[in-house]
Amino acid sequence: MMLIRYLSQVGKYFLMLKEIFNKQTKWSVMKRLIFKEIDDLIIDSLGIVCFISFFIGGVVAIQTALNLTNPLIPKYLIGFATRQSVILEFAPTFISVIMAGKMGSYITSSIGTMRVTEQIDALEVMGVNSLNYLVFPKIVALLMYPFVIGISMFLGIFGGWMACAYGGFSTGEDFIAGAQMEFIPFHITYAFIKTLIFAMLLATIPSFHGYYMKGGALEVGKASTVSFVWTSVCIILLNYILTQLLLG
């Protein structure tokens, strides 16, 4: 019974994706909505992303340095390990899970509140495709999400360099030499492919839970929690699949 319920939800989700791109809202209206979503979802997220990235990069470098106790192991490996950790996993995946909480709860609660207060019904009565009006601007805004992840990568590696250079674990030159060692450009491509797919999940799964929720104000809170859980689960599952496909 539960399996059938989950399958029906998955089917409803894909039908929602199809409906988003039908009956487009006028560009003059859509342009304003897109800029608002860029401000709410991208610009407002930069502060927390920068803060977390810098300090987690520092922690990764310190943990690596503390585990390289053998004097035969060169210190530049700290920079190498920090770069690989930040670019391959930390920036695209860990930040996306955090954004599932920040962006996801905002999207679900805002759309859920519109559903509770019957604003979505009013849009439908006016002949507007409410899914296109509400969700499409979020998808377009989150096309800028790789820009956020690029900043996260830079600050993560910079935080690692600061921790090494000023924490006495190795010299800044050694860290930079390690960060440049055996660099594979495809790893950046891989990270941004993941990021774009995660951005689609961040825009649509919370919107789905907000749009189709039933009840009152209490249910809006519950829908936000459920959307965070499912967005995180999908991100982690797709992370495994994409890693296997692109790097395996």
Side-chain angles (χ1 to χ4, degrees), residues 7 30 47 65 80 84 98 104 111 116 118 164 190 215 230 241:
L7 287 173
M30 184 59 72
F80 176 78
Q84 292 295 91
I98 292 169
I111 296 179
V116 169
E118 298 179 354
C164 272
Y190 155 78
W230 280 110
I241 294 167

Side-chain angles (χ1 to χ4, degrees), residues 160-221:
W161 176 79
M162 290 281 284
C164 272
Y166 295 100
F169 296 102
S170 80
T171 62
E173 290 78 13
D174 277 348
F175 185 91
I176 291 168
Q180 293 174 333
M181 186 179 72
E182 294 181 20
F183 175 65
I184 301 171
F186 179 71
H187 285 171
I188 299 284
T189 308
Y190 155 78
F192 283 140
I193 289 170
K194 283 204 305 187
T195 300
L196 276 171
I197 293 170
F198 294 163
M200 186 69 178
L201 296 179
L202 286 169
T204 55
I205 295 177
S207 298
F208 172 80
H209 286 283
Y211 190 85
Y212 290 109
M213 64 145 291
K214 294 181 176 68
L218 180 63
E219 280 71 22
V220 173

Side-chain angles (χ1 to χ4, degrees), residues 18-35:
K18 177 175 169 288
E19 189 62 31
I20 288 168
F21 299 97
N22 288 341
K23 199 180 172 190
Q24 295 284 326
T25 307
K26 281 195 301 184
W27 174 243
S28 57
V29 176
M30 184 59 72
K31 184 171 63 175
R32 182 170 47 81
L33 293 170
I34 288 169
F35 281 120

Side-chain angles (χ1 to χ4, degrees), residues 55 65 101 131 147 155 170 204 216 236:
F55 285 102
L131 277 170
F147 166 72
L155 284 173
S170 80
T204 55
I236 290 164

Side-chain angles (χ1 to χ4, degrees), residues 67-143:
N67 283 290
L68 294 178
T69 51
N70 192 323
L72 298 176
I73 298 175
K75 292 292 184 186
Y76 63 73
L77 285 179
I78 299 168
F80 176 78
T82 303
R83 183 199 76 204
Q84 292 295 91
S85 302
V86 167
I87 288 176
L88 291 176
E89 277 311 309
F90 162 70
T93 308
F94 188 65
I95 291 292
S96 293
V97 171
I98 292 169
M99 288 300 105
K102 187 193 178 298
M103 287 182 193
S105 59
Y106 166 76
I107 291 170
T108 305
S109 58
S110 61
I111 296 179
T113 303
M114 289 183 74
R115 172 62 76 190
V116 169
T117 55
E118 298 179 354
Q119 292 177 55
I120 292 175
D121 298 328
L123 285 171
E124 295 286 352
V125 167
M126 289 189 292
V128 176
N129 178 357
S130 56
L131 277 170
N132 178 260
Y133 185 87
L134 295 171
V135 184
F136 185 73
K138 294 173 173 57
I139 293 173
V140 176
L142 279 165
L143 291 175

